[in-house]
Amino acid sequence: MNPLRPFRRTLCAPLAGALLGASALLWCRQAAAEESAAEQLFREGRALLVEQRFAEACPKLEESQRLEPSLGTKLNLAFCHERLGQVATAWVGFQEALITARTAGDAAREAFARARIDALAPRVPWLRVRASARDAGADQVTILLDGAALDPVAWDKELPVDPGEHVVAAAHQGEVFWETTVALKESERVDVAVPAPAEAAPAPVPAEPAPADASRPARRPAARPPAARLPRARLLPDAQRDGVRDESSVRAAAPGVLDRLVFEAGGFIGYLYLEADKMDVCSIGGYGECYYALSEGSFLAGATGFIGYTATERLDLGLRAHLSLHSSAGLLLALGPSVSYPLGDRFRVGSSLLFGTATQSGTAYTEGYQWSESGSYYGGDMVEASVPLGFSLGLGAEIGMKLTDSPSGSLFLQTTPLFLVGADGVAASLPLGVAYRWN
């Protein structure tokens, strides 16, 4: 019996435990480092999204999703692609996020993803590659879309692609024999026919080898280099592929100053309450100063508008205006700075500081002291008069619910109540209407 065997057994157990512990510690540190890197990339990407620097935000979100896939990162990445103008990539990304949210039971994110899918679907371009080369032997022909091989299963089928130029090529036995460039716009459908390869010329018959010299050893033929392997296709090319950024597409989709302008126009009907008074010269059997008071509730109809600038991802700053006519033979006008922001994907709220005025006409109660040749006396009467509100200051609100989306903006069911207070009275309106917001 070897006298060192018990010692070896006693020593191996602690060593094995130490090695396992060290391996586990290294694995945990590596996992923590990857997790922190993914979280840091996500935060940086989100910050760039808020600043509307989408061309810089998308690569960071892509890398964060690669290191640590999550539903939140997937939704932000799809939104980033949408704002870059890559509507097909965004459409597919939101579909993947919809499936993940449904599996996780996240109803809010599922609804958000579904709304974006419905909004993007009419804008997606579709490309169909019709392959005449299929009859020539698919095992020898490869169709390439933007430099990546297209699976034969996708031949003759419509594929969603991003707007812009795409290169379709065909290779036979590793050599490209045909190529074309096609440009697609949003909502466009294009078919491209790929021709079959030309008949290959018969291979030349090799010459008879010269008799070998028995005194020399025979040379081994040189090995033939293997054929180049073509990459598999990515059906939705990104703005950045294989580490090389497609600067033309990024420049074309990057938002400029005009892209941040926001316009809104709408119409409404509603109710107006207006109470005002004034002192003026009056005549009831003589001359004097009279006090007029007019309080009316009336029907109003008018228009509202907003023009502003997208300051951040979720905040629009601008100017809001109200103009309406009401049944008390007058008008209401209000104008002032406004802030507007979305609540989720369907609702929008806002507030305004308003300056305005209102006019009205009707049967007003008047009273005052009258002077005549026989003296002065106090009297009152009901007379027809125009009693304006005068310059007023107030507040307005905006509450809207999105009805539908379109490529240029959204249609909202909207109410914009306001309240004005002036030295001569008060006015309050409660309208309801529709408004279209161009983004």
Side-chain angles (χ1 to χ4, degrees):
M1 178 180 178
N2 190 344
L4 296 178
R5 182 174 297 174
F7 176 74
R8 284 192 308 218
R9 289 179 179 175
T10 305
L11 183 63
C12 285
L15 283 176
L19 289 174
L20 289 174
S23 300
L25 180 61
L26 289 174
W27 182 84
C28 291
R29 286 182 177 177
Q30 182 180 1
E34 291 179 355
E35 181 177 359
S36 61
E39 183 65 26
Q40 182 179 358
L41 286 168
F42 176 77
R43 288 197 301 269
E44 293 174 357
R46 278 287 301 171
L48 291 169
L49 275 181
V50 172
E51 297 174 5
Q52 298 198 7
R53 296 160 61 184
F54 304 113
E56 301 173 54
C58 288
K60 291 184 179 292
L61 293 172
E62 286 177 356
E63 182 63 15
S64 175
Q65 181 70 5
R66 185 189 69 82
L67 293 175
E68 185 182 340
S70 71
L71 176 57
T73 307
K74 189 67 177 176
L75 285 170
N76 279 274
L77 180 57
F79 174 77
C80 186
H81 285 145
E82 178 183 354
R83 297 308 296 267
L84 268 180
Q86 300 168 358
V87 292
T89 305
W91 183 67
V92 172
F94 281 122
Q95 287 185 330
E96 295 173 353
L98 174 67
I99 296 173
T100 305
R102 183 180 299 162
T103 304
D106 193 333
R109 287 177 170 176
E110 180 183 351
F112 173 76
R114 187 186 303 279
R116 298 316 309 148
I117 291 170
D118 294 341
L120 289 171
R123 302 171 54 190
V124 175
W126 294 86
L127 175 65
R128 186 200 305 270
V129 179
R130 298 188 180 275
S132 303
R134 183 182 294 275
D135 300 331
D139 56 337
Q140 297 181 356
V141 175
T142 303
I143 295 178
L144 300 101
L145 176 59
D146 294 324
L150 192 62
D151 197 310
V153 176
W155 295 3
D156 299 325
K157 292 182 175 61
E158 285 192 323
L159 306 174
V161 294
D162 291 321
E165 291 188 349
H166 298 275
V167 178
V168 181
H172 182 248
Q173 296 181 348
E175 295 185 3
V176 176
F177 66 88
W178 179 85
E179 182 178 300
T180 188
T181 300
V182 57
L184 289 92
K185 301 177 182 179
E186 287 191 7
S187 308
E188 191 173 8
R189 296 176 182 267
V190 174
D191 286 9
V192 175
V194 178
E199 292 293 334
V205 179
E208 290 291 335
D213 190 351
S215 62
R216 290 186 178 183
R219 290 186 180 181
R220 297 181 61 186
R224 184 177 180 180
R229 296 185 62 185
L230 297 171
R232 302 310 297 167
R234 291 177 62 186
L235 301 185
L236 296 175
D238 300 326
Q240 184 174 359
R241 183 185 298 110
D242 300 331
V244 180
R245 179 175 295 175
D246 183 357
E247 293 293 346
S248 61
S249 64
V250 172
R251 283 196 299 269
V257 174
L258 294 179
D259 296 324
R260 296 190 179 188
L261 292 180
V262 179
F263 303 93
E264 177 194 300
F268 58 80
I269 58 174
Y271 175 80
L272 172 68
Y273 174 78
L274 181 57
E275 179 179 334
D277 54 59
K278 70 173 183 178
M279 295 292 295
D280 203 354
V281 176
C282 63
S283 174
I284 307 178
Y287 297 94
E289 289 186 347
C290 288
Y291 168 79
Y292 292 89
L294 183 57
S295 175
E296 293 283 350
S298 55
F299 170 82
L300 85 163
T304 181
F306 176 88
I307 179 171
Y309 183 83
T310 301
T312 67
E313 177 190 348
R314 300 182 62 84
L315 185 65
D316 295 338
L317 301 178
L319 192 69
R320 179 166 290 279
H322 299 262
L323 176 62
S324 61
L325 301 175
H326 58 86
S327 57
S328 295
L331 62 84
L332 171 68
L333 174 64
L335 179 72
S338 179
V339 58
S340 178
Y341 49 92
L343 287 180
D345 190 58
R346 291 197 62 191
F347 296 94
R348 175 170 288 275
V349 297
S351 58
S352 305
L353 176 63
L354 298 174
F355 305 90
T357 187
T359 62
Q360 64 176 342
S361 298
T363 304
Y365 172 73
T366 179
E367 60 182 18
Y369 287 96
Q370 308 294 316
W371 289 270
S372 64
E373 295 179 355
S374 58
S376 62
Y377 64 93
Y378 178 84
D381 199 356
M382 301 296 294
V383 297
E384 291 294 322
S386 175
V387 185
L389 178 62
F391 178 77
S392 304
L393 177 66
L395 297 174
E398 169 198 352
I399 304 173
M401 182 180 71
K402 186 184 298 184
L403 299 177
T404 182
D405 276 315
S406 73
S408 60
S410 303
L411 181 67
F412 286 85
L413 177 66
Q414 181 173 272
T415 179
T416 51
L418 62 84
F419 182 74
L420 296 175
V421 179
D424 298 327
V426 297
S429 71
L430 185 61
L432 180 65
V434 294
Y436 190 85
R437 178 175 287 251
W438 289 268
N439 292 320

